Amino acid sequence: MQALLSYDQSPPIAAPFRFFLTAPVFGILAGLLVMHAGPNAFMSRWTPEALALTHLITVGFMLQVMLGALIQILPVVAGANIVRPSLIAGVVHCAITVGALLLAAAFLTFAPWMFVGSSLLLFSGGAVFLGASGWAMRGVPATGPTISGLKTAISGLAVTVALGVAMAFGMSGWFDLPLMQLADIHLGWGLLVWGIGLLAAVAYVVVPMFQITPAYPEWFVRRFVPSLLVVASAWTIAVFGGWDVPLLVAALALIGMFGLFAGVTLFLQRRSKRASFDTNQHCWRGAMLSLLSGGGVWLAARSVPEIGEWPGLPILCGVLVMYGGFVSVITGMLYKIVPFLTWLHLQNFGQGVLMAPNMKKIIAERTMHRQMLSHFFAGILLVLAVFWPETMAMPAGAAVVVSQAWLAMNLCSAVRVFRRHSRLIAEKRANT
Amino acid sequence: MTVDETQADKIVDGRFLEPPEPFLLTMEALDTIRPGETVLLRLCREPLPLYRALQLNGYAWETSCLDDGTFEILIRHRAE
């Protein structure tokens, strides 16, 4: 029944795709920077190269995909339609893409105008997105955990962006700020409330749906995302106060939230009704194990002073959480979202003239699986580079470039299917 | 409140299927029913996009949520 597939609430395919296709470009840039910076990228989290790398991944890769996915799922999951989605997506995409590039360049050069320029762009992009999504969700009651989770995550994004912009202005010399403390708070809100909050809100829907698992337990769904706000607030107060014991408790709670989410998700995956895991499930499993490892390393550092004093520790945790955790899970999600949207729009466009291709053949499973292996291989090399930066930085960076370029090629293959099939539909229509 | 299965002329159990299978099976089932007949869809989530598709194409539906989180959507031609 082709005529029934009128998903008029779904935004045009270009709206989310522009974000999805840009993300691997930032992944490639991150790999190139690792190759160029060599050991400097792994010396400390405060080196210009490490700061630039962190933001190429968090803003360039993670934020791109997260915003693109939100523009797509707000209407579908929450019934919240963003007004003029193409225009909003275009403006937000342009602002955060140029803003992320400028921010990375600002860290590498410490040019004040770059910090100001990147702040203005990222603030504008964030404000337009927050305004549009807030307006779309204004009448949507927070009835389910996904909707309230999305609202909480978006509030976490607002805090993260506000802190980031303030720090960028501080670094450009406009005013004095306690930058080290603000950076820790910025990191906490960005990774915990925005990152894990969004991931959890989306996971409540997509993990059972795509991985054929039982639903997340009721106690977890009700309390997890609201608890993130409590933990992030406690973390903020403890960092500002500089009190040792509350800081340790807040940090333990923060790590515990990462571990809890990863542990519950892995538990659900074990109860999947699938005969064998697909690439999406492998990506999720790898990501959750990496998040657990990151938390484990941090706990070990707190328990063994010799490990705690090692300057590579924050870098190792960052690699495990950001690259091994978030980039892996986002890769897995892209491999579900992109074929699904391609199929959906072709099905709509076809209107009975031509059936959409089988969703599973839009990007071949084998190709996705091989790219995923290259991604995990790159992750292992990055971990090794933390221990042996002199010898491993170059191969690790090269491996990241290869795996991200491969991801870009796989996503572009879906776009080619979309264009080819759209042409066929147009030709068929012209002939009838 | 559980929908009495005997009320439904066709049943689509999409609880353990990956998208877009439940959607496609529902569409196929709707293709085959006559006025006065119904399709019962069972899912683990509320299918918001489906509602819009049903609305646009002349169907009416009733949704109920069971204690175990299953959503039951009973669909029929709107003009009845």
Side-chain angles (χ1 to χ4, degrees):
Chain A
M1 189 185 283
Q2 294 282 308
L4 271 172
L5 291 169
S6 303
Y7 270 33
D8 62 346
Q9 286 173 312
S10 191
I13 196 167
F17 267 38
R18 67 177 71 235
F19 293 93
F20 299 158
L21 296 174
T22 309
V25 176
F26 278 93
I28 293 169
L29 288 176
L32 289 173
L33 181 56
V34 171
M35 292 173 73
H36 173 73
N40 284 344
F42 299 93
M43 294 301 213
S44 147
R45 63 182 275 216
W46 302 111
T47 63
E49 291 86 355
L51 288 167
L53 264 175
T54 303
H55 289 87
L56 282 174
I57 294 295
T58 52
V59 182
F61 188 94
M62 288 165 53
L63 184 65
Q64 286 274 354
V65 179
M66 289 160 136
L67 293 185
L70 270 178
I71 286 172
Q72 177 61 43
I73 66 171
L74 281 178
V76 177
V77 173
N81 293 311
I82 288 179
V83 180
R84 305 189 68 181
S86 295
L87 177 67
I88 296 291
V91 170
V92 174
H93 174 258
C94 185
I96 67 163
T97 300
V98 181
L101 287 171
L102 208 53
L103 184 61
F107 282 121
L108 292 173
T109 60
F110 272 81
W113 74 268
M114 287 193 182
F115 280 114
V116 173
S118 63
S119 314
L120 291 175
L121 284 165
L122 293 173
F123 177 77
S124 309
V128 170
F129 175 79
L130 291 167
S133 58
W135 182 257
M137 293 187 85
R138 74 196 185 284
V140 179
T143 47
T146 292
I147 295 172
S148 59
L150 289 176
K151 288 182 173 177
T152 304
I154 289 171
S155 70
L157 173 65
V159 175
T160 309
V161 170
L163 288 170
V165 168
M167 280 192 294
F169 272 94
M171 292 181 83
S172 67
W174 280 49
F175 37 76
D176 281 335
L177 288 170
L179 291 175
M180 306 281 258
Q181 289 170 312
L182 282 180
D184 281 343
I185 297 168
H186 171 70
L187 187 72
W189 280 83
L191 288 185
L192 195 70
V193 184
W194 165 237
I196 292 288
L198 179 63
L199 194 55
V202 172
Y204 298 157
V205 177
V206 298
V207 167
M209 187 165 75
F210 285 121
Q211 303 189 31
I212 323 293
T213 69
Y216 278 81
E218 190 64 24
W219 62 267
F220 182 83
V221 165
R222 282 194 184 282
R223 298 194 179 100
F224 182 73
V225 176
S227 303
L228 296 176
L229 270 182
V230 176
V231 171
S233 303
W235 170 249
T236 305
I237 294 165
V239 170
F240 265 129
W243 307 301
D244 284 345
V245 174
L247 196 59
L248 176 62
V249 172
L252 282 172
L254 201 143
I255 299 292
M257 298 307 280
F258 276 81
L260 181 62
F261 176 71
V264 171
T265 305
L266 286 170
F267 174 74
L268 288 181
Q269 277 200 320
R270 284 176 63 88
R271 296 171 65 198
S272 168
K273 291 193 182 297
R274 273 181 181 281
S276 61
F277 274 25
D278 65 1
T279 303
N280 173 54
Q281 275 172 301
H282 282 302
C283 284
W284 271 83
R285 183 158 66 178
M288 296 304 114
L289 290 172
S290 195
L291 284 180
L292 280 178
S293 307
V297 166
W298 188 88
L299 285 177
R302 297 298 309 191
S303 314
V304 184
E306 289 78 15
I307 302 177
E309 289 162 10
W310 176 45
L313 180 81
I315 304 282
L316 181 59
C317 288
V319 166
L320 289 169
V321 170
M322 290 180 202
Y323 193 83
F326 282 103
V327 176
S328 301
V329 82
I330 285 171
T331 302
M333 291 296 297
L334 284 173
Y335 282 150
K336 283 295 176 193
I337 299 170
V338 168
F340 181 72
L341 291 181
T342 304
W343 173 87
L344 177 69
H345 284 270
L346 286 174
Q347 192 79 344
N348 273 345
F349 188 38
Q351 292 289 321
V353 175
L354 190 66
M355 287 291 286
N358 185 331
M359 197 184 102
K360 292 185 190 305
K361 292 183 178 168
I362 289 174
I363 307 177
E365 177 65 25
R366 195 173 57 176
T367 314
M368 293 190 287
H369 190 78
R370 287 179 178 169
Q371 188 279 328
M372 177 200 73
L373 293 178
S374 79
H375 163 71
F376 284 138
F377 180 65
I380 291 168
L381 292 188
L382 282 171
V383 168
L384 295 177
V386 180
F387 292 95
W388 298 285
E390 296 287 346
T391 48
M392 295 306 297
M394 182 62 84
V400 171
V401 171
V402 169
S403 81
Q404 291 296 309
W406 200 342
L407 174 62
M409 281 166 51
N410 286 350
L411 299 180
C412 286
S413 72
V415 176
R416 281 198 298 278
V417 168
F418 180 80
R419 287 187 175 152
R420 193 167 56 232
H421 211 82
S422 298
R423 274 200 302 275
L424 285 175
I425 293 168
E427 285 169 13
K428 279 219 165 196
R429 277 186 175 164
N431 295 332
T432 53
Chain B
M1 190 180 71
T2 311
V3 175
D4 183 359
E5 282 194 6
T6 56
Q7 283 182 22
D9 297 281
K10 300 254 177 189
I11 297 174
V12 176
D13 190 347
R15 285 175 296 179
F16 305 111
L17 298 176
E18 189 180 328
E21 286 298 313
F23 189 93
L24 289 175
L25 292 174
T26 306
M27 296 300 118
E28 284 172 15
L30 288 173
D31 249 352
T32 63
I33 61 166
R34 294 186 298 258
E37 294 182 334
T38 55
V39 171
L40 175 64
L41 168 64
R42 288 203 174 105
L43 275 182
C44 294
R45 56 198 172 273
E46 191 163 17
L48 296 176
L50 175 69
Y51 294 160
R52 184 65 179 147
L54 295 175
Q55 185 189 15
L56 288 171
N57 291 279
Y59 289 91
W61 67 94
E62 293 160 38
T63 302
S64 48
C65 183
L66 310 187
D67 290 340
D68 67 353
T70 300
F71 283 88
E72 291 189 327
I73 300 101
L74 192 65
I75 310 166
R76 54 169 56 88
H77 288 278
R78 193 186 294 151
E80 293 160 28

